[in-house]
Amino acid sequence: MDSRFVGIADLVETPSVAVVVDVMRACTVAAWAFAQGAERIVLAESLDEALALKARHPDWAALKDGPLAPGFDMVNSPGLLRSIDLAGRTVVQKTTAGTVGALAVKGASLVLCTGFVVAEATARLLRTHECDSVTFVVTGEDGHADEDLACAQYIARRATGAGTDASEFLGRAATSRAATELATGVRQGVHPDDVALCLELDRFPFAMVATSEGPQMVLRPCAAPPPTDAASI
């Protein structure tokens, strides 16, 4: 499998298969939303669009980066989200990097959104599709976020069925700029457990697939295929 690792701004053409990586925190938050019962996540292009969707659908739950703001129900924090019951609900998500990265590859034939918490499920899905070429979109820091790059590189190796020690990749993420900012309170809308929750390898057994549904891009959980012998190393 040929793997490319690019930032959002480096996407000069729409790839066939795209894996959007935002470890800290959009994709981790999305996985937690599904674990808390959310049926789907609508990826909004702007805060105004998120608020408009919420206004048209009062039963939907809207979340954003930073502190809680009028019109929004939640913030982009796995530590805060894990106590919220989202059973059967639609979530509208707008973040600085993760949702932007997913919308940037909207035309791809397969779009996966991922972080460490769903890494193995993502790798298995890529193996099932037998992808010749995969573009990993490193969303943070203009494509230089080490937590996202580390996660992307780890998944790329696992997607080939190679036995891979995750500790090196998790270690890079744990010492990344984003982890430091979350741990020291530089960012707002943060729970003390956020970094640890973002680094829980394979916490959830599903991958996350984004598809166009009408004018919107919608993220849904997808059960991971069973492991093959080669991939269980």
Side-chain angles (χ1 to χ4, degrees):
M1 186 183 79
D2 178 33
S3 299
R4 296 174 60 240
F5 305 93
V6 302
I8 297 171
D10 300 319
L11 288 163
V12 295
E13 59 183 13
T14 302
S16 175
V17 177
V19 179
V20 180
V21 187
D22 189 340
V23 173
M24 297 183 185
R25 296 164 284 172
C27 293
T28 302
V29 165
W32 269 98
F34 290 130
Q36 294 301 104
E39 179 180 337
R40 63 176 189 158
I41 297 175
V42 176
L43 305 178
E45 293 189 2
S46 66
L47 294 176
D48 286 344
E49 182 187 13
L51 288 172
L53 288 168
K54 171 69 177 179
R56 292 201 300 270
H57 307 278
D59 57 323
W60 290 10
L63 69 86
K64 61 178 282 294
D65 278 333
L68 193 63
F72 288 88
D73 305 280
M74 304 172 291
V75 296
N76 194 45
S77 161
L80 295 171
L81 188 70
R82 62 184 170 175
S83 62
I84 299 174
D85 182 8
L86 295 171
R89 298 184 71 182
T90 293
V91 172
V92 180
Q93 185 180 34
K94 170 65 181 91
T95 67
T96 305
T99 57
V100 175
L103 290 166
V105 292
K106 189 174 183 178
S109 59
L110 175 64
V111 178
L112 305 179
C113 295
T114 195
F116 282 110
V117 292
V118 291
E120 185 61 25
T122 304
R124 288 186 196 173
L125 197 57
L126 290 173
R127 287 196 296 269
T128 299
H129 281 264
E130 298 181 347
C131 304
D132 294 327
S133 177
V134 177
T135 296
F136 288 86
V137 183
V138 179
T139 61
E141 298 177 34
D142 296 322
H144 299 289
D146 202 32
E147 74 281 2
D148 293 340
L149 182 58
C151 183
Q153 290 171 336
Y154 174 73
I155 292 171
R157 293 191 188 185
R158 290 298 296 149
T160 66
T164 306
D165 184 358
S167 59
E168 171 197 345
F169 303 94
L170 291 168
R172 285 167 54 192
T175 57
S176 67
R177 175 181 173 181
T180 300
E181 290 181 351
L182 289 172
T184 57
V186 172
R187 301 188 186 187
Q188 295 181 297
V190 177
H191 186 279
D193 293 341
D194 276 357
V195 173
L197 292 173
C198 289
L199 299 179
E200 285 191 325
L201 185 66
D202 304 329
R203 170 75 186 244
F204 304 115
F206 52 81
M208 298 186 294
V209 180
T211 57
S212 294
E213 297 184 12
Q216 299 165 345
M217 194 168 192
V218 178
L219 190 64
R220 295 181 186 272
C222 176
T228 62
D229 292 340
S232 61
I233 299 174

